[in-house]
Amino acid sequence: MEQTTLAALSAFALVSSITPGPNNMMLMASGANFGLRRTVPHALGVGIGFTLMIVLVGVGLMGLFDLFPVLNTVLKVVSVAYLLWLAWKIANAAAPTTDGDARGKPMTFVQAMLFQWVNPKAWTMALSAIALYAPDRNVVAVLLVAIVFGIVNLPSTSIWAVMGTALRGWLSSPARLRAFNRTMAALLVGSLALLI
C-alpha cells in the first residue's frame, strides 16, 4: 500500500472511530456510570472486536452480503431492535450507590466484542474500509486495514469513556445523572437515523 493510501486509510479510521456512534455513546455512558477502570473491558472489547470484524468481513462476509442482499435488511432490523433495547437500559440505569457501585453492570469484554456484529456503524465502517482500501480482498491488504483500525480505534473510542469518567463528579446529582443517561440514550437512538 502506498504512503498516500495508508495516510488516507489512517484518516478514515480516525474520523470514523472518533465520531459519535453507538460504541462511543455507550462508552461515555459507561465511563460516567461505572468509572474508567470498570469500563476498560468494554473499551478493549470494542477495539479488538471491531478489528476482528474487519478481518472477517474482508476475508469472506462481504461476499455473503454481495450474494444475499436480504442480509442487509435482516442486519438492520436486528441492529435497530438491539440498539433500542440498549438505549432503554441506558435511559433507565440506576444511580451508583453510596459505596460507588451501581445496580447495573458495565458491558463485558465479550459482550462488547459481540456487540460489533449488531452495530450498524461498525458494519458501515468495516464494509466501507474493505471496499475502499482492500477492494480485491487480498488477505495482506485486509490485514493491513484491520491493523490500522486496531491501532486507531481503541484510543479513539476510549476518549469517550474518559470524557464520561470526567463527568462523574458533575453527575453525582441523581437528577443530573438521570438527565445524562436519558440524553445518552436519545443520542444512541439518534445515531441510528444517521446510519440506516
Side-chain angles (χ1 to χ4, degrees):
M1 188 175 285
E2 294 178 11
Q3 262 189 323
T4 54
T5 306
L6 186 58
L9 170 59
S10 300
F12 176 75
L14 177 64
V15 170
S16 59
S17 295
I18 205 164
T19 52
N23 279 324
N24 293 337
M25 294 297 107
M26 291 187 336
L27 282 166
M28 188 174 193
S30 183
N33 285 285
F34 305 109
L36 187 59
R37 186 181 60 76
R38 291 183 66 198
T39 301
V40 166
H42 182 172
L44 289 172
V46 168
I48 293 169
F50 183 67
T51 302
L52 177 62
M53 180 185 196
I54 288 179
V55 172
L56 295 176
V57 164
V59 297
L61 289 177
M62 195 168 177
L64 283 175
F65 282 88
D66 293 341
L67 286 174
F68 304 104
V70 72
L71 289 176
N72 286 309
T73 303
V74 171
L75 176 65
K76 284 182 182 181
V77 169
V78 170
S79 297
V80 166
Y82 186 68
L83 285 172
L84 290 173
W85 177 77
L86 283 173
W88 180 84
K89 283 191 63 146
I90 290 170
N92 295 293
T97 60
T98 54
D99 63 1
D101 201 11
R103 189 172 69 199
K105 295 180 198 169
M107 190 174 271
T108 67
F109 175 82
V110 172
Q111 289 169 331
M113 280 187 69
L114 293 175
F115 174 70
Q116 303 318 298
W117 297 96
V118 294
N119 178 350
K121 183 179 179 187
W123 275 102
T124 301
M125 290 166 56
L127 292 169
S128 298
I130 295 301
L132 293 170
Y133 299 101
D136 60 355
R137 299 183 197 150
N138 172 298
V139 174
V140 174
V142 167
L143 289 175
L144 182 58
V145 170
I147 289 167
V148 168
F149 264 93
I151 291 168
V152 171
N153 187 267
L154 183 60
S156 298
T157 57
S158 295
I159 288 170
W160 289 84
V162 171
M163 287 190 304
T165 302
L167 292 172
R168 280 191 91 176
W170 186 77
L171 296 173
S172 61
S173 156
R176 284 192 293 247
L177 180 63
R178 194 169 35 256
F180 172 81
N181 284 340
R182 289 178 181 164
T183 301
M184 289 295 101
L187 289 171
L188 181 58
V189 171
S191 73
L192 290 173
L194 300 172
L195 301 171
I196 295 180

